[in-house]
Amino acid sequence: MRVAVYSTRAYDRRFLDEANAAGRHELVYLEPRLDADTASAAAGAQAVCAFVNDRLDAATQALLHSLGVRLLVLRSAGFNHVDLAAAASLGLAVGRVPEYSPHAVAEHTVALVLTLDRKIHRAWARVREGNFALEGLLGFDLHGRTVGVLGTGKIGRCFARIMLGFGCRVLAFDPQPHPEALALGVLYVGLPDLLARSDILSLHCPLTPQTRHLVDAAALAQMKPGAMLVNTSRGAVVDTRAVIDALKSGQLGSLGLDVYEEEADLFFRDLSDSAIADDVFARLLTFPNVVITGHQAFFTEDALRAIAQTTLANVDHFVATGSPLHAVSVERLVP
Ligand code: NAI
């Protein structure tokens, strides 16, 4: 099958070529992001492979469908960027990678927690300048602290397991508590309790209408003064402007982000020669207690290998049965 692969970077190519070593499919690598303006590049392909910031709205899907595309395969677990109702009405099959490496994302989350706690970002810069003063670098022991996990799916549980290993108390909120989390010793509480009791709050829920801006001004006000917030889920789970206000007032002690509401115009590209046009993002960068990575939590070789293999398995299965191995359907929107 001919597959147009959008938002391709060299690393995607490396692992997709490896997974397609037998040459079962013809992969056409395209650098641009998929949207209504770039959809025409998929002409001749029966499948489109998309990443997190590709636009799979109704207009783009209609264009792809008119070109003969019948399958959308996502190189991601999240599918909040796909209009599933449009896909259903067009008869476009959608496949995703439900699990590639929860460890990759959970471990990166821990990296953000440790960086913020022990001010590694500041220490690194100081030492390079020959400044070995410790003022401003004071951290706290993770041992004995309370960590709140919002969403105990595959990644949230993996993160909880690691934090329990540090000797933290782990609280969680999830509308669907998971027996494995309970067995680990995670204590489920209501959302207000989670906000009020956590020294570190880490977000691991999907972006849905219910979770959009879940961490808003009201939620931030309920948090422990000086707490740490870490978001490696989806940017819009957090109201960024409210977070900036909470950082300015000191209500929020520190912030670690791997995702950002308006990341589509920033992330996965080298913009180091241009001015950042997004003033909200630029403001975030001014805080010494904020660490941002550009959606790299998934970015390990183990995860990329698994993503490539599952993506090709989705295409194989579609060729054999008319449906991808890990299909996403409109019913999934209903909780
Ligand atoms: P999952 O589907 O295994 O778990 C999600 C959990 O969130 C479920 O237990 C669900 O019940 C829970 N949930 C749903 N609504 C909730 C709410 N209102 N409040 C609290 N919990 C709620 O998903 P997984 O694999 O653990 O991934 C979590 C999220 O991480 C993904 O949806 C994706 O957005 C993000 N992600 C980020 C990556 C990155 O590179 N930064 C990479 C992979 C995923």
Side-chain angles (χ1 to χ4, degrees), residues 157-208:
R157 293 199 302 280
C158 196
F159 174 72
R161 204 177 303 121
I162 299 172
M163 299 317 288
L164 286 163
F166 275 107
C168 297
R169 183 181 306 112
V170 178
L171 306 179
F173 171 73
D174 192 311
Q176 290 178 296
H178 199 284
E180 186 195 314
L182 287 166
L184 284 171
V186 171
L187 180 67
Y188 282 98
V189 296
L191 184 56
D193 240 12
L194 188 82
L195 295 169
R197 292 168 63 185
S198 299
D199 297 299
I200 297 167
L201 178 65
S202 191
L203 311 182
H204 299 287
C205 57
L207 177 61
T208 63

Side-chain angles (χ1 to χ4, degrees), residues 2-245:
R2 191 176 166 119
V3 186
V5 185
Y6 278 87
S7 297
T8 310
R9 298 288 177 270
Y11 45 81
D12 298 305
R13 206 180 178 128
R14 174 182 155 201
F15 289 100
L16 284 167
D17 280 346
E18 194 180 288
N20 193 39
R24 293 193 305 279
H25 305 289
E26 186 190 347
L27 306 181
V28 181
Y29 293 114
L30 305 166
E31 264 186 52
R33 210 166 92 198
L34 171 62
D35 59 23
D37 293 331
T38 60
S40 60
Q46 296 83 48
V48 153
C49 180
F51 198 47
V52 288
N53 290 326
D54 287 320
R55 247 189 127 92
L56 283 157
D57 55 12
T60 309
Q61 289 189 34
L63 284 167
L64 292 174
H65 186 266
S66 72
L67 294 169
V69 171
R70 294 294 176 265
L71 171 66
L72 308 174
V73 275
L74 312 176
R75 304 198 293 286
S76 60
F79 48 87
N80 52 281
H81 53 308
V82 185
D83 185 334
L84 291 177
S89 70
L90 287 164
L92 278 172
V94 183
R96 66 171 182 139
V97 185
E99 175 172 350
Y100 41 92
S101 172
H103 308 286
V105 184
E107 289 170 14
H108 188 78
T109 310
V110 177
L112 289 174
V113 169
L114 286 169
T115 302
L116 288 167
D117 175 16
R118 307 306 296 267
K119 324 300 193 262
I120 303 297
H121 55 304
R122 302 187 70 191
W124 181 83
R126 278 190 199 185
V127 169
R128 284 171 64 91
E129 297 264 310
N131 176 357
F132 305 102
L134 296 183
E135 282 79 6
L137 302 184
L138 192 64
F140 56 84
D141 286 9
L142 286 174
H143 185 270
R145 289 300 202 281
T146 300
V147 174
V149 181
L150 195 97
T152 51
K154 292 175 284 293
I155 297 170
R157 293 199 302 280
C158 196
F159 174 72
R161 204 177 303 121
I162 299 172
M163 299 317 288
L164 286 163
F166 275 107
C168 297
R169 183 181 306 112
V170 178
L171 306 179
F173 171 73
D174 192 311
Q176 290 178 296
H178 199 284
E180 186 195 314
L182 287 166
L184 284 171
V186 171
L187 180 67
Y188 282 98
V189 296
L191 184 56
D193 240 12
L194 188 82
L195 295 169
R197 292 168 63 185
S198 299
D199 297 299
I200 297 167
L201 178 65
S202 191
L203 311 182
H204 299 287
C205 57
L207 177 61
T208 63
Q210 292 76 37
T211 63
R212 180 172 293 274
H213 283 192
L214 190 76
V215 180
D216 58 6
L220 287 158
Q222 289 177 63
M223 286 176 69
K224 248 189 181 179
M228 179 192 296
L229 174 67
V230 180
N231 186 11
T232 58
S233 64
R234 284 292 180 265
V237 176
V238 165
D239 177 347
T240 313
R241 287 169 198 273
V243 154
I244 288 174
D245 288 342

